[in-house]
Amino acid sequence: MQQDRPAHKDHADTDRLAMGRDFQRIRRFSEQLCEPLVIEDYGLQTVPEASPPKWHLAHVTWFYETFLLRPFLPDYPVFHPRFEYLFNSYYEQTGTGFWPRSERGLLSRPTVSEVYDYRHHVDDAMERLIATCPSDVWPKVQMRLGIGLNHEQQHQELLVTDIKRHFAHNPLRPAYRADLPVAPIASPAPLTWTQFDAELIELGAGPEGFAYDNERPCHRVFLEPFSIADRPVTNGEYLDFIADGGYRNSAFWLSDGWATIRREGWSCPLYWEGQADATPDDWRIMTLGGMRPLNPAEPVCHLSYYEADAFATWAGKRLPTEAEWERAASDRPIAGNFVDDAWLHPRPAEKTDGLRQLFGDVWEWTGSAYLPYPGYRAPAGALGEYNGKFMCNQMVLRGGSCATSRDHARLSYRNFFYPHERWQFKGFRLAETVQ
């Protein structure tokens, strides 16, 4: 007579099957994102911060090999002993060192074919690990696999934005995909506001479900009354800032921001082409679908924190804190324009009432520095380097973008970048304190 299986065993088996399916799906999507590329595209690195597609494909594979296969799969045969040096990004505690970030595009070898062979070698081994891992070890494997899958989804977004950065460097302005949909040229939806009363909120991720360590611990924050714009700032509104001399008036800028735009010669967002006195019809913008006319109704993007803050100062407003942003988004569904929708570009806001575009379209700069939450402790070991060691001199962004996977976005997600960086799909919405 067959005995009943313990309920926790059935639950563990279900989790294992689900994670196996997620692993296959996410690994497949990375390769699907590379299907429009030709072989010459895989090694491009036009700026230090944007890595070659070939490197991304190999690095996410290195992550599984380093943190899962080597420690947990007995007799795992390492694909190549030097890949642990070539495709480590910044993990010092692995003890292997890493190839300089700015020189990733100098590596003609391994070939693209060899990188795909590496991926398939690791995929086969990971499927064996997921299927055969002993039940007493599975919880630790499951935790690391969750990080690995989310890590690969982060690099899928980087694949998209880095390809755009590389293609924009080419005077031919090639399209990554010429078949991408295009929104009709339109005027922006009217800017409206939602007000929130003073209250004590809980900020951050709770104990259940996946979240990065920097989203925890959940803690209490008191908010004064504030209002937040119902949609992000648009291209059309940003054109008004440019036309009013926004890039020529130091009064709007933080000191570091003013020094940055003077040093870099910025006079408009990244990927815009036109003149400060041009009409909206004269501006063009580089997209993953090639060059297009600038659409005034689309959320402005590819902005530094400095530019977002300067616009807010010019407008007599400010950027929301991350606590204000999370409060505003807390009762909204995680729905919007994500990479799954295959626009790969921000879309105009719908002309409806209430808060819109909190998720997807553009990552939204907040006025909050990227710092640890009260009580935060970085995990021990190399995986503790994932987030904790970057908690200095960076700013928090929220909400996800048109290059983010829908099932990768969540309310508590804290993205972070240096204030001068622009190549991600970054925009912003305005806020103000209610007196």
Side-chain angles (χ1 to χ4, degrees):
M1 182 176 181
Q2 185 176 3
Q3 294 183 341
D4 291 337
R5 289 160 52 95
H8 67 81
K9 181 67 165 62
D10 289 336
H11 181 68
D13 288 349
T14 300
D15 286 346
R16 197 180 291 227
L17 289 171
M19 292 202 80
R21 289 192 295 269
D22 287 344
F23 177 80
Q24 294 173 348
R25 172 178 59 84
I26 289 170
R27 294 288 283 170
R28 186 165 56 246
F29 188 56
S30 294
E31 299 186 9
Q32 288 170 349
L33 287 172
C34 292
E35 288 175 359
L37 303 179
V38 297
I39 200 71
E40 290 83 358
D41 298 327
Y42 278 87
L44 281 172
Q45 185 176 23
T46 55
V47 291
E49 65 268 20
S51 297
K54 180 175 73 172
W55 186 89
H56 285 297
L57 291 174
H59 166 68
V60 294
T61 304
W62 165 90
F63 190 97
Y64 299 113
E65 185 174 63
T66 300
F67 294 112
L68 284 154
L69 294 176
R70 285 186 161 198
F72 295 115
L73 186 64
D75 302 320
Y76 168 72
V78 170
F79 185 82
H80 193 294
R82 291 298 282 163
F83 281 13
E84 64 181 1
Y85 171 70
L86 285 183
F87 300 121
N88 180 1
S89 53
Y90 52 68
Y91 294 89
E92 301 279 0
Q93 294 180 60
T94 60
T96 63
F98 43 84
W99 183 256
R101 181 184 185 186
S102 61
E103 298 181 10
R104 292 169 182 169
L106 302 180
L107 300 173
S108 63
R109 306 297 173 93
T111 65
V112 174
S113 177
E114 288 169 330
V115 166
Y116 276 108
D117 287 345
Y118 178 39
R119 287 180 63 87
H120 300 153
H121 172 86
V122 166
D123 288 350
D124 290 344
M126 281 297 302
E127 289 178 13
R128 291 200 304 277
L129 174 63
I130 293 169
T132 64
C133 176
S135 58
D136 61 327
V137 180
W138 173 247
K140 191 166 187 178
V141 169
Q142 183 181 30
M143 181 273 293
R144 291 194 178 192
L145 181 53
I147 296 173
L149 295 177
N150 279 269
H151 170 257
E152 182 148 5
Q153 288 182 309
Q154 285 182 308
H155 277 271
Q156 289 167 353
E157 180 157 2
L158 288 168
L159 259 174
V160 172
T161 55
D162 290 2
I163 289 168
K164 183 175 183 178
R165 187 71 181 89
H166 302 324
F167 280 24
H169 189 78
N170 189 327
L172 297 177
R173 303 293 190 268
Y176 162 71
R177 279 184 51 187
D179 62 336
L180 295 176
V182 181
I185 300 293
S187 299
L191 187 63
T192 55
W193 298 79
T194 296
Q195 183 171 327
F196 292 87
D197 295 332
E199 64 179 307
L200 188 66
I201 68 164
E202 290 194 341
L203 180 66
E208 301 301 323
F210 178 83
Y212 287 121
D213 57 14
N214 65 356
E215 301 169 50
R216 294 183 171 123
C218 186
H219 59 287
R220 292 177 296 173
V221 175
F222 182 76
L223 296 179
E224 297 288 354
F226 72 97
S227 289
I228 191 167
D230 284 336
R231 58 157 174 77
V233 170
T234 64
N235 290 332
E237 289 157 344
Y238 203 83
L239 279 171
D240 292 338
F241 170 68
I242 295 173
D244 197 39
Y247 282 86
R248 302 191 300 272
N249 190 337
S250 62
F252 305 135
W253 296 83
L254 296 168
S255 177
D256 285 350
W258 184 247
T260 297
I261 68 166
R262 287 168 61 84
R263 182 179 64 249
E264 301 296 332
W266 295 348
S267 60
C268 60
L270 184 64
Y271 304 134
W272 285 31
E273 297 185 12
Q275 302 296 324
D277 58 352
T279 67
D281 293 342
D282 294 329
W283 285 91
R284 294 178 64 77
I285 184 172
M286 177 63 181
T287 75
L288 284 154
M291 293 299 295
R292 295 178 185 171
L294 186 72
N295 190 338
E298 293 171 352
V300 64
C301 68
H302 297 298
L303 294 166
S304 67
Y305 172 81
Y306 298 134
E307 291 163 296
D309 180 80
F311 180 99
T313 300
W314 169 79
K317 309 296 182 183
R318 62 173 174 82
L319 301 179
T321 67
E322 67 169 320
E324 289 170 339
W325 188 97
E326 188 165 317
R327 170 62 189 93
S330 62
D331 57 357
R332 309 299 299 175
I334 298 178
N337 173 24
F338 292 105
V339 71
D340 317 63
D341 300 287
W343 281 70
L344 304 184
H345 191 73
R347 295 196 308 227
E350 295 180 1
K351 295 186 178 181
T352 57
D353 295 333
L355 287 159
R356 288 154 287 164
Q357 296 182 298
L358 284 158
F359 296 99
D361 284 302
V362 291
W363 285 101
E364 298 184 16
W365 285 109
T366 71
S368 296
Y370 178 54
L371 295 170
Y373 283 162
Y376 171 82
R377 293 290 184 273
L383 277 175
E385 300 182 54
Y386 199 109
N387 290 304
K389 71 179 185 180
F390 299 109
M391 291 175 172
C392 182
N393 300 329
Q394 305 201 55
M395 303 301 290
V396 173
L397 301 94
R398 292 299 199 105
S401 81
C402 57
T404 307
S405 289
R406 180 177 283 102
D407 65 353
H408 184 62
R410 55 191 171 272
L411 175 67
S412 59
Y413 199 131
R414 306 175 77 200
N415 206 348
F416 53 93
F417 283 95
Y418 291 104
H420 67 279
E421 293 179 321
R422 307 204 291 174
W423 91 107
Q424 296 301 301
F425 285 99
K426 302 171 187 172
F428 64 101
R429 73 179 64 220
L430 299 174
E432 61 181 351
T433 302
V434 176
Q435 301 298 335

